[in-house]
Amino acid sequence: MKLYGYFRSSAAYRVRIALNLKKLPYEQSAVHLTRNGGWQWSDEFHAINPQKRVPALALSTGEVLLQSLAIIEYLDEIEPEPPLLPADPIARARVRAVSQIIACDIHPLNNLVALNYLKGPLKQDQPAADEWYRHWVVQGFDAIETLIRPGPYAFGAHVTVADLCLVPQVFNARRFKVDFANYPKIAAVDAACLKLPAFDKARPENQPDAE
Ligand SMILES: N[C@@H](CCC(=O)N[C@@H](CS)C(=O)NCC(=O)O)C(=O)O
């Protein structure tokens, strides 16, 4: 399998953790999102992902899968161990809710293309864009701090998709100087996850394209 990603992309980071947890071998192809205007906008990458975003996972069959949560579910289906969702339907819904707060409600407002639109056509300066970024993280993290049950991972003794979404979002939130004083549970889950080799290996600074 070949993962098209970028070391700092939190959506690609989620998929790297899943691949590592499942012990599935993969090679990486770096899509630099900013150099020379961003390789995601090239015709070559458009042929791989018409949405012009990472991650994309190319399978040995030639099939290319898009969208981090769809890719993670696919990996969970082809390699069920370790499972990334609990067996109980209520527990699964809780895990999916936290995952979706991050992937559907925080991340789309804060990804590179949204921040560039704020700073470009909408003429906002860097401090305003940073404030926008933190605003949406705080809204989401306030809810997640109430919803998770560290034990030591977001929903108990087993890693779930919620952890795969949370750790990359925490990495980005720290980059943008979000104050973690109100998020002791989120910080504890992040610390517990990062002790696992699968998370550590997936860290942005441990990627071949890290800068
Ligand atoms: N919902 C998508 C989000 C993908 C996404 O927005 N990726 C960002 C990087 S984290 C990207 O490729 N941005 C390209 C750009 O901003 O131009 C997923 O979960 O895969």
Side-chain angles (χ1 to χ4, degrees):
M1 285 188 271
K2 187 196 274 188
L3 178 65
Y4 292 88
Y6 179 58
F7 73 109
R8 256 196 311 246
S9 155
S10 61
Y13 189 175
R14 295 171 199 152
V15 174
R16 292 197 298 264
I17 300 167
L19 286 161
N20 295 343
L21 283 167
K22 304 283 187 186
K23 297 192 170 33
L24 291 166
Y26 63 102
E27 57 176 294
Q28 297 203 53
S29 182
V31 178
H32 203 294
L33 295 183
T34 59
R35 189 183 297 149
N36 301 326
W39 194 62
Q40 71 275 31
W41 303 108
S42 67
D43 290 345
E44 202 182 343
F45 189 65
H46 181 254
I48 296 162
N49 181 358
Q51 204 197 356
K52 303 168 185 162
R53 295 186 185 202
V54 294
L57 185 70
L59 308 182
S60 54
T61 55
E63 199 78 46
V64 179
L65 305 183
L66 309 178
Q67 287 287 337
S68 62
L69 293 186
I71 296 170
I72 290 167
E73 280 190 23
Y74 164 80
L75 296 175
D76 210 26
E77 283 160 10
I78 59 155
E79 179 48 70
E81 292 299 325
L84 296 176
L85 284 168
D88 173 65
I90 296 285
R92 287 166 91 86
R94 289 201 172 113
V95 166
R96 285 185 165 128
V98 165
S99 307
Q100 288 174 27
I101 288 174
I102 294 166
C104 306
D105 296 340
I106 298 177
H107 180 264
L109 293 162
N110 284 351
N111 70 14
L112 183 66
V113 76
L115 296 178
N116 283 345
Y117 189 71
L118 269 181
K119 290 186 280 183
L122 298 185
K123 299 186 172 36
Q124 300 300 306
D125 58 15
Q126 189 64 47
D130 290 350
E131 202 42 52
W132 165 276
Y133 182 97
R134 285 189 287 267
H135 175 78
W136 299 113
V137 171
V138 165
Q139 284 227 334
F141 275 14
D142 282 353
I144 292 172
E145 183 69 15
T146 307
L147 294 169
I148 58 175
R149 303 163 180 193
Y153 309 117
F155 286 95
H158 301 286
V159 166
T160 65
V161 187
D163 300 292
L164 274 58
C165 292
L166 194 55
V167 169
Q169 186 59 65
V170 167
F171 166 80
N172 269 351
R174 290 210 167 105
R175 254 187 86 214
F176 281 84
K177 309 218 173 342
V178 169
D179 181 0
F180 273 74
N182 293 331
Y183 307 125
K185 291 202 290 179
I186 292 175
V189 167
D190 179 63
C193 288
L194 285 170
K195 286 190 187 134
L196 300 175
F199 282 77
D200 184 56
K201 200 175 144 203
R203 283 176 192 254
E205 59 269 35
N206 293 338
Q207 303 318 302
D209 58 325
E211 290 168 1

